[in-house]
Amino acid sequence: MLNFNVPHVKNNTGEPVWKVLIFDRFGQDIISPLLSVKELRDMGITLHLLLHSDRDPIPDVPAVYFVMPTEENIDRMCQQYIKLYFLVFILFICVSVEPDVAFSVFDQYLNFITLEDDMFVLCNQNKELVSYRAINRPDITDTEMETIMDTIVDSLFCFFVTLGAVPIIRCSRGTAAEMVAVKLDKKLRENLRDARNSLFTGDTLGAGQFSFQRPLLVLVDRNIDLATPLHHTWTYQALVHDVLDFHLNRVNLEESSGVENSPAGARPKRKNKKSYDLTAVDKFWQKHKGSPFPEVAESVQQELESYRAQEDEVKRLKSIMGLEGEDEGAISMLSDNTAKLTSAVSSLPELLEKKRLIDLHTNVATAVLEHIKTRKLDVYFEYEEKIMSKTTLDKSLLDMISDPDAGTPEDKMRLFLIYYISAQQAPSEADLEQYKKALTDAGCNLTPLQYIKQWKAFAKMASAPTSYGNTATKPMGLLSRVMNTGSQFVMEGVKNLVLKQQETDDYRYFDPKMLRGSGNYIEYQNLVDYIKGKQGKHVLYGCSELFNATQFIKQLSLLGQK
């Protein structure tokens, strides 16, 4: 894409074709988790700019625009084309009506954000438009719901165009997931029907129905499980997302400057902010992001000790290089150590990168540990695990809520909501009033509870309550069953065409090739762990929005005010 939609090649001097990259906020969100400034430069991007920022003309340099196809963006590009650049190459993020302009225009079908090799989110800008609250507002109109569903479907369509495969679709009945499935099935069918312009090369309607490479798309409504997004977790990546400012693979930390004496009446010093990118090139992050936090802390210490040992070896070799005397033993030792020192010096860049990552994860892990200690998050994690797995509690819930030294008001509300959601039977009104008083005394806002009460009452009428197990060790039973059912159908072809009635009732089945008349890192890590034991299977996790518990509580609170 950054090389004008042709394979990446260098010019006669061995350098890439230099160009300017201009994006809007949507394009920036898509590119920033994937490519660093250095990687952009290696691809010939000398300068990257926001579309609506002011700049001076840059003569003799081609411009690559990566933007949403809005009228405002097109007008801005036309103004800049006349004044600033001699060649313009426009890449629209999603499908567009081609504007009447004199430059190359391409639809890239990239209207989703890739955060991991196996994880994506549909949007970041204007994410409140497809949020849990937006879909579950009691006053939402049919037109508004249609717009939300179309937005989600357009992004999912882009995802599968990029994947280059037409999925088999399974979804729960009577939910927003079913609305998305119906619309996506229709959109895929319409594209496959036009064989000449199909975006799925080699895939036409009716062809390859039983291809072994077909992915299974499982669409699940957030309402099937409201407890997990509220759950205090214990793995590194999920903790970073829960307690720190972690956004599009970048974590922002406030550096504590310590207690300093300052003159009376002086303005306090502002805390320094530091940002760290936690991406695929960070080997420590890739290895430990799904590990329990104590293991991460131990690994940071081991990496630090390993680095110090290597550093001490370099210092020792430098010292030996000062050997005096000309006897054969000394000369032989000098020659041997010269080779060792040369090897050590050649590995210096790798050593410096190791030191950078150690410092990075020491700072991030220290910030997480501070939250764990001050809020007793380990106690909350263990207690919630017992609630969700229906094991005996060693301390009453009322005592947990009333303990002034354990957690913030939000932590206490999260804990109680998990209890309320997971309970097979809601507490009596007398018990509920007692809990509400304790929560109020602890400084909690009760509006999220008002919504959860309504949700639970409706869910009870609609179907059986969700069953929760030990999320740290067991996969989600419902998901496991759907995964196994779907994948067996793909692998065994005709044998499983007649599905069991119970499964058909629970989940609808769509295959666009057959002829016929909000998310979080806890779930992501659970899926990754689940699939490790399933040889030959690969899971990609996606969500319409990626929120942490604080953001989800705010949405529940707003819904509770209605």
Side-chain angles (χ1 to χ4, degrees):
M1 182 188 87
L2 296 178
N3 199 54
F4 312 114
N5 273 354
V6 295
H8 185 59
V9 292
K10 296 184 177 181
N11 58 26
N12 295 333
T13 63
E15 292 183 339
V17 178
W18 298 110
K19 59 195 86 73
V20 176
L21 172 64
I22 300 114
F23 41 53
D24 60 3
R25 294 288 183 189
F26 291 89
Q28 183 182 39
D29 288 344
I30 293 167
I31 289 174
S32 62
L34 298 174
L35 298 167
S36 66
V37 173
K38 181 185 179 302
E39 288 169 323
L40 286 173
R41 181 166 285 276
D42 290 343
M43 295 178 183
I45 303 299
T46 59
L47 188 64
H48 53 92
L49 304 158
L50 279 168
L51 174 63
H52 293 279
S53 61
D54 295 322
R55 71 194 70 99
D56 296 326
I58 306 174
D60 303 325
V61 178
V64 175
Y65 284 85
F66 184 53
V67 298
M68 290 292 281
T70 66
E71 189 174 335
E72 182 185 13
N73 283 351
I74 293 169
D75 289 344
R76 179 69 172 174
M77 286 187 292
C78 290
Q79 294 168 17
Q80 291 181 357
Y81 171 61
I82 295 169
K83 298 176 183 178
L84 302 179
Y85 307 106
F86 86 100
L87 175 63
V88 170
F89 189 80
I90 293 179
L91 306 165
F92 283 131
I93 293 169
C94 60
V95 68
S96 64
V97 176
E98 189 164 322
D100 185 16
V101 290
F103 31 70
S104 303
V105 178
F106 296 87
D107 294 327
Q108 293 298 126
Y109 295 94
L110 291 175
N111 194 18
F112 60 94
I113 299 169
T114 302
L115 297 176
E116 305 275 351
D117 287 346
D118 50 8
M119 182 183 185
F120 67 97
V121 61
L122 298 190
C123 67
N124 177 52
Q125 301 293 325
N126 302 331
K127 62 183 178 182
E128 65 279 358
L129 297 179
V130 295
S131 67
Y132 176 83
R133 176 187 171 233
I135 295 172
N136 290 276
R137 276 174 33 225
D139 57 348
I140 189 170
T141 65
D142 289 346
T143 304
E144 289 171 331
M145 182 62 91
E146 286 288 328
T147 301
I148 293 170
M149 296 299 107
D150 288 340
T151 302
I152 293 172
V153 167
D154 287 344
S155 289
L156 283 174
F157 182 78
C158 288
F159 172 78
F160 282 104
V161 170
T162 303
L163 200 63
V166 180
I168 291 168
I169 306 169
R170 301 297 304 271
C171 69
S172 51
R173 292 178 177 272
T175 64
E178 183 178 17
M179 296 173 67
V180 171
V182 170
K183 283 177 172 288
L184 180 60
D185 177 66
K186 181 182 177 184
K187 194 175 183 75
L188 288 166
R189 283 177 181 278
E190 288 172 352
N191 188 264
L192 290 169
R193 197 170 283 119
D194 184 359
R196 182 178 295 179
N197 298 309
S198 174
L199 296 164
F200 301 92
T201 309
D203 280 343
T204 54
L205 195 65
Q209 279 184 31
F210 307 113
S211 165
F212 290 96
Q213 302 302 316
R214 296 280 302 280
L216 171 70
L217 171 63
V218 182
L219 289 168
V220 186
D221 194 297
R222 176 75 275 162
N223 280 311
I224 204 170
D225 173 18
L226 291 188
T228 300
L230 299 167
H231 186 21
H232 291 86
T233 185
W234 202 231
T235 54
Y236 191 26
Q237 184 181 43
L239 268 169
V240 169
H241 185 237
D242 189 10
V243 304
L244 303 180
D245 179 11
F246 185 50
H247 185 62
L248 296 181
N249 292 349
R250 173 169 290 181
V251 61
N252 301 302
L253 297 181
E254 281 192 352
E255 288 188 321
S256 54
S257 52
V259 180
E260 295 182 5
N261 293 326
S262 56
R267 183 178 295 177
K269 286 189 176 181
R270 294 180 66 182
K271 287 187 176 180
N272 293 327
K273 286 194 174 183
K274 272 205 168 184
S275 296
Y276 301 103
D277 292 322
L278 302 174
T279 61
V281 296
D282 184 337
K283 292 179 182 177
F284 186 92
W285 177 250
Q286 288 303 306
K287 184 177 180 180
H288 296 291
K289 64 185 179 183
S291 302
F293 187 74
E295 290 181 18
V296 175
E298 187 179 332
S299 297
V300 170
Q301 185 62 35
Q302 289 172 354
E303 290 288 325
L304 183 59
E305 289 170 3
S306 171
Y307 165 77
R308 284 173 177 166
Q310 289 177 275
E311 190 179 42
D312 290 343
E313 177 66 9
V314 174
K315 288 177 182 177
R316 189 183 70 82
L317 289 169
K318 284 181 178 178
S319 175
I320 292 174
M321 290 298 286
L323 281 172
E324 295 181 358
E326 296 183 0
D327 60 275
E328 288 186 9
I331 291 170
S332 173
M333 188 179 292
L334 185 63
S335 174
D336 182 47
N337 284 311
T338 300
K340 286 182 179 178
L341 183 61
T342 302
S343 174
V345 170
S346 66
S347 65
L348 199 57
E350 185 181 336
L351 199 60
L352 290 172
E353 175 62 11
K354 191 172 186 179
K355 177 66 164 63
R356 185 188 71 83
L357 293 178
I358 290 169
D359 289 344
L360 185 163
H361 288 286
T362 299
N363 292 337
V364 172
T366 301
V368 171
L369 184 59
E370 191 176 322
H371 281 274
I372 292 172
K373 286 181 175 178
T374 56
R375 294 162 56 184
K376 295 187 178 179
L377 297 184
D378 52 337
V379 176
Y380 276 90
F381 167 72
E382 189 175 17
Y383 199 91
E384 289 165 4
E385 285 283 297
K386 288 178 179 177
I387 289 175
M388 295 169 77
S389 59
K390 306 292 190 293
T391 55
T392 306
L393 302 175
D394 51 4
K395 186 177 181 180
S396 78
L397 181 60
L398 210 54
D399 288 344
M400 281 287 292
I401 295 169
S402 303
D403 186 347
D405 298 322
T408 63
E410 184 183 282
D411 291 326
K412 296 173 191 293
M413 177 52 72
R414 285 167 63 176
L415 172 63
F416 182 73
L417 290 179
I418 288 170
Y419 160 74
Y420 194 89
I421 291 166
S422 304
Q424 294 292 330
Q425 190 170 353
S428 66
E429 281 301 317
D431 288 344
L432 185 59
E433 286 303 315
Q434 199 173 3
Y435 284 126
K436 286 166 71 173
K437 184 181 184 305
L439 290 166
T440 304
D441 291 344
C444 298
N445 173 10
L446 298 184
T447 49
L449 177 58
Q450 294 173 18
Y451 173 74
I452 292 297
K453 282 180 67 179
Q454 297 167 9
W455 168 84
K456 181 131 184 162
F458 179 79
K460 190 175 181 180
M461 287 189 296
S463 62
T466 303
S467 176
Y468 293 97
N470 187 340
T471 54
T473 56
K474 297 176 185 175
M476 198 183 301
L478 191 60
L479 179 63
S480 175
R481 179 161 59 81
V482 176
M483 284 292 296
N484 288 332
T485 305
S487 56
Q488 285 170 7
F489 176 82
V490 175
M491 297 304 293
E492 297 173 14
V494 182
K495 290 183 182 177
N496 272 11
L497 269 176
V498 182
L499 298 172
K500 293 179 182 178
Q501 186 64 38
Q502 179 189 357
E503 290 166 353
T504 306
D505 287 345
D506 286 348
Y507 273 73
R508 285 193 65 182
Y509 178 93
F510 297 86
D511 184 352
K513 286 189 176 184
M514 288 183 71
L515 298 171
R516 64 166 183 166
S518 304
N520 58 47
Y521 284 101
I522 306 173
E523 291 171 332
Y524 166 61
Q525 190 56 50
N526 285 345
L527 275 177
V528 170
D529 292 341
Y530 165 70
I531 213 66
K532 282 178 183 175
K534 304 291 181 180
Q535 195 171 7
K537 291 184 182 177
H538 184 59
V539 168
L540 303 178
Y541 174 90
C543 51
S544 55
E545 61 167 338
L546 184 65
F547 47 57
N548 60 21
T550 299
Q551 294 159 340
F552 190 44
I553 281 277
K554 285 180 181 175
Q555 293 194 38
L556 296 179
S557 181
L558 289 168
L559 286 166
Q561 293 172 10
K562 294 291 183 181

